[in-house]
Amino acid sequence: AEELLGDLAKLPDWPERVRTMQANWIGKSVGVRFAFRVNGVTRSALGSPPSPSGRGSEVEDDEALLWVFTTRADTIMGVTFCAVAAEHPLATHAARSNVKLAAFIDECKHGSVMEADMATMEKKGMPTGLSVVHPLTGEPIPVWVGNYVLMSYGEGAVMAVPAHDERDFYFAKQYGLPIKQVITSAIEERRKKGDADVQGDGYAVFDFDPAQWKEWYGEKGKTTTSVSLYCINSGKYNDLEYSAAVDAIAADLNAKGLGEKKTMWRLRDWGISRQRYWGCPIPIIHCAHCGDVPVPDKDLPVVLPEDCVPDGSGNPLNKRADFVNCKCPKCGANAQRETDTMDTFVDSSWYYARFASGRSASAMVDRETDYWMPVDQYIGGIEHAILHLLYSRFWSKVMRDLKLVSYDEPFKRLLTQGMVLNHIFFRKPANGRIQYFNPADVEVKIDNTGIQIVAILKSDGQLVEDGGIGTMSKSKNNGIDPQQLIELHGADTARLFVMFAAPPEQTLEWSDAGVEGAARFLKRLWKLVHTHVGMGTAARVEVAVLNDAQRAMRRMLHETLAKVTDDYARRRTFNTAIASVMELINALYKFDDSHRVGSTRGGDDHSTQGRAVLQEALDNVVIMLAPIVPHISHALWQALGHDNAVIDARWPSVDAAALTRSSIELVVQVNGKLRGHIEVALDAKPADIEAQALADANVQRFTAGKQIKKVIVVPGKLVNVVVA
């Protein structure tokens, strides 16, 4: 657990939220584990043997203890009750003589223990009639059974401090239990003393009110606004801040033999056995004489029979005597083979390493993994954040420790792609299940303002209800048939739309209009290339003879290439890469019209080099788009005169010389509002820039008849003309 947590720092190219989710799942908590002595109950009564207390302990040998773990030992003087899980021995003991409590415990045991459910369910409890002794004050503390306490986490019991834990606060309010404040802020104490400096309403948040929960009640050390917090109503611990209070309290508990500082982990052992037929067999043989014996290496792998027929009556392997019955590899006696198979997460935790050594017939992984691993770029959904991705990291470290591989972490860079959303349409019959309809089968009518009026099922003309936007799923019948899309627009169109509609890690809303827009863009590209190719072979670019327009076109090309390269390689923002190429193609259309042979706009003087620049630009455009639209890119690449496949072409290099500028475009404002653009020399003096800005026709239109008070020149950015 420590290594899995610490090595998250080795993964800077993983999404922050995935690393946070894993850290929370591993759940390292540094705090204090301590015990309350249970009044009137012995260890023997709970089914535990007496235990020597140890030197310096105040506990009798057979005295029952209620152990808890807390990260907020600084609030120990505010404990007003303890709560235990339904499965806790104290709860079982108390229920033997309390029918109502037994029924409540049974209800708790049948409730969900999923975290999402636990967070939202109603917090219920019932007193056990037992009490424990506060380890520092000697006060009796009542013990309750709470449905929000899990036996599988910590000690299966919690100290409850309603004043400084939100869950305990509302539980205490519900059942009328005491709320004792033991943490305060400097601001609250100064207000209580009537300090005039803190009388403003803005400090009301730092007043402790037992009737209302406030966020600062549960904070430690400092509040989110950096206000210091410290102990009050805590006897000798008064005025201590969080760390000092925890240390002092832990030391006092330790001196009594009742507790110590401890690190706890939320992470639990992984139970990998599954009672099913088809999976990776667990290579264990059960012998009555030798116990559980591993299958010898020479007999691995254990091969499953392939003719089992699952009939719903349990694991069919149990019924196969030819599989189950075997000899003990240790003593030779009759034995039985394990029929449980491994969790499929075991297989998915190392498949990538097997890909890297797939030709090996003698080992699960071989030295080829040293070359291929770790994975440079891994792509998967956020739903794998704390299962597959954590298991894979764990399994990699296991294989490393067994000297099978040499890497610590399996995946260098992680991209968690977003989900695709679409409209949900349905009908809810008076009696029966909800029926969902595919958006393609629904006609949506809108008014002249673009607002939806009704949605009608095309097949019967009757109304359907609009369920809004949701993730595409089979259950909601709101998916898009990719085959129909491919037949209508081609696979590249679908790829282009999905990659352009949103950054890959974000959700995107499906849009038929967006798909049609993607198709139109590809048709424009196709037309531009084939118009160019139809004019014959283009010459090579001769930089020395290019005119200003051609140099500007090359500069835009290489600026786009630099941005797209960065978007792909570093940022993984494919949507912005596509947008940049779209802007470039718009510019190429204008450039092509100006530099075509016989064009009335551009003339013939530089048409040869104009076509050479266009050829270079189109070559680069096709390569830049190839990762997104590989099929059309391959066809256009060969149409442009290349014999190889575009996938085998080298990624182009940015021509640094093409990026140099002799001039720059500046924004011109009048009283802060955009009124024009001017092109000025890079080394132009402020006075020259000012004169050029004032000479701009549009600027003159907005300054005519007005007094020019001053002209502000921001080098490299803008000119602002201030008029009265």
Side-chain angles (χ1 to χ4, degrees), residues 443-465:
E443 179 185 359
V444 175
K445 295 186 177 182
I446 58 176
D447 61 20
N448 55 10
T449 64
I451 298 175
Q452 178 179 323
I453 304 175
V454 293
I456 297 173
L457 189 65
K458 295 177 182 177
S459 60
D460 61 15
Q462 300 300 307
L463 294 175
V464 295
E465 292 189 55

Side-chain angles (χ1 to χ4, degrees), residues 40 173 200 230 353 409:
K173 296 289 288 184
Y230 54 88
E409 291 289 338

Side-chain angles (χ1 to χ4, degrees), residues 8-27:
L8 288 171
K10 296 180 179 179
L11 303 171
D13 293 323
W14 278 38
E16 181 62 31
R17 67 171 177 156
V18 173
R19 292 191 292 164
T20 299
M21 290 168 72
Q22 288 209 1
N24 291 340
W25 188 261
I26 295 168

Side-chain angles (χ1 to χ4, degrees), residues 234-256:
S234 298
K236 63 182 288 189
Y237 312 112
N238 280 348
D239 302 327
L240 294 181
E241 293 192 0
Y242 172 74
S243 296
V246 170
D247 289 344
I249 289 167
D252 287 348
L253 290 169
N254 187 257
K256 292 173 175 284

